[in-house]
Every structure is written in C-alpha cells, then in structure tokens.
Amino acid sequence: MSDGALLALSGSNLTGDAPYSVALAVAGRVHALASPAGGRGDLAGLVAAACAAAGLAAADVRRVRVDVGPGSYTGLRVALTFVRCLQRFGGVAVEAVDSLALLAARAAAPAAAPRRVHAVVDARRERVHAQAFEVGPAAVRALAPAAAVPAAVAAAALQPGDLVVVPAGLPPALRAAFADRGAELREVAGIVATELLAPCLPFTPAGFADLEPRYLMGSYAED
C-alpha cells in the first residue's frame, strides 16, 4: 500500500478538453490520462490505467481530490458517484474544490502579488456562474460564494485592476457585458485533473453528503 499516492479526477469538463481526466501522483511522478474531447469517456478505465502505469492497485490509493462543479451534468454525476463509491467502500480521504477555483488559479499563475480574479462560465439561460477570488503566489482564496446571475450583474461587481477568466468559447453576448466594463478578459483552456494537484487551491475535506454535483443549470447558485 502507498499512503503517498494522490489520485485527482475530474468530470466537470470545464473548458471542453476532456469528458473525464485523472492524474495519479506517487513517488514524485504524475501519471495523467484523459478521455478524448468529444468522445465517450471511461473514468474507471482511466483510473485503472493510471494505477497500472504507477505499479499500484486501485486499493492502494488512500487520498482523492475532485472538483464538484459547476460543469458537465453527466461528467459531474459520474465522477462524484465514483468518488463516493471509493469513499464508502474503500475508505479513502476525499478533498473537494469548486471548479471555478481551477480557472482562477490557472489565469493568475504565476502571481507576484495577490490579485482579484473573477472566474466566469456560461450558466445558460442568459446567465453566468461567477465567483471572485484573491489569487496570490501561494494560495487561491474565495472572496464570495459562487452565484448564477445575469452577466451584467457579475460585471457590475468588478473593480479596477480585476481580471476576468473564462473558458474559450464563452458566448459573445456574455463576453460583451465584461468588455463594456473595460475588464481584462483571459481565456483558459486545458483544465483537466492535473490542475487538482496544485497545493494552492482551497480544498475542503468532503464526506459522502458533501459530494453533491453543482450543475451548470442547477439551482444551487441561483440568486
């Protein structure tokens, strides 16, 4: 058994790069795999392949990290159900983080000094999921809970010098709300499970009841 093995997995597909992705960190090496964009993913198969590449059995993994959304409805449902099974039947320790923190961390790195970063994704129905963070060289700290609001409302929360980070392909009408405020927009791609290995993210210990998917069109963040 390897207590040092850390398995990260993601089904949020926040930037449209992979339906499912995994990253297994053990003995100073990272074994990362992802299902092809637009393809049908096999999360259990990816985990098994990563463990085989590292010379481990799945039962050797004692720590798991996962992002809980917002993101793909199917991907989050599968990924979080998978993690719940690992926790319930394998006794693994689970840490969870909002997917928007991954956008914020990527956009501001490397940061020489703390900066306010707004992570924004399309929530559909002419709304966005938005969350403000303070991102520094060593930590990402949420300044407010995530909210699903009209883009104009999210844009009104901007302050001078703030950065807005979005996945590539955010609809032009939503981008325009932030451009009209003179905001610096930065597109991010390639958000996969390896991002979850970053020590700066605001992870929280997650029990079975905490692993609820936060869907793009869900009501959890409605105002």
Side-chain angles (χ1 to χ4, degrees):
M1 180 176 294
S2 176
D3 289 336
L6 171 61
L7 174 65
L9 55 87
S10 178
S12 63
N13 199 16
L14 200 61
T15 52
D17 295 278
Y20 303 104
S21 58
V22 304
L24 179 62
V26 60
R29 297 187 61 188
V30 175
H31 305 272
L33 295 166
S35 50
R40 184 173 182 178
D42 178 2
L43 181 58
L46 291 175
V47 171
C51 287
L56 299 177
D60 292 331
V61 176
R62 311 308 302 158
R63 298 171 59 211
V64 174
R65 287 181 176 175
V66 65
D67 61 323
V68 296
S72 161
Y73 177 89
T74 300
L76 288 170
R77 187 172 182 178
V78 169
L80 292 174
T81 298
F82 185 84
V83 173
R84 278 177 156 178
C85 289
L86 291 178
Q87 187 177 61
R88 178 62 58 88
F89 300 109
V92 301
V94 178
E95 295 179 324
V97 68
D98 286 354
S99 302
L100 293 174
L102 305 183
L103 284 178
R106 169 72 79 80
R115 185 178 188 182
R116 277 173 51 99
V117 175
H118 299 259
V120 175
V121 298
D122 185 6
R124 306 179 190 157
R125 298 175 294 181
E126 301 181 352
R127 300 162 76 86
V128 296
H129 281 298
Q131 188 171 14
F133 298 87
E134 180 184 78
V135 180
V140 175
R141 182 172 67 90
L143 298 177
V149 296
V153 172
L158 297 179
Q159 298 178 9
D162 286 0
L163 172 67
V164 178
V165 55
V166 301
L170 187 74
L174 299 180
R175 294 174 62 95
F178 298 96
D180 290 346
R181 298 275 300 184
E184 177 189 352
L185 266 70
R186 189 173 301 172
E187 289 190 348
V188 171
I191 297 292
V192 289
T194 51
E195 310 292 329
L196 292 164
L197 300 178
C200 65
L201 293 169
F203 289 101
T204 58
F208 190 88
D210 302 314
L211 297 171
E212 288 290 341
R214 301 181 178 182
Y215 301 124
L216 283 174
M217 297 181 69
S219 61
Y220 81 95
E222 296 283 344
D223 59 357

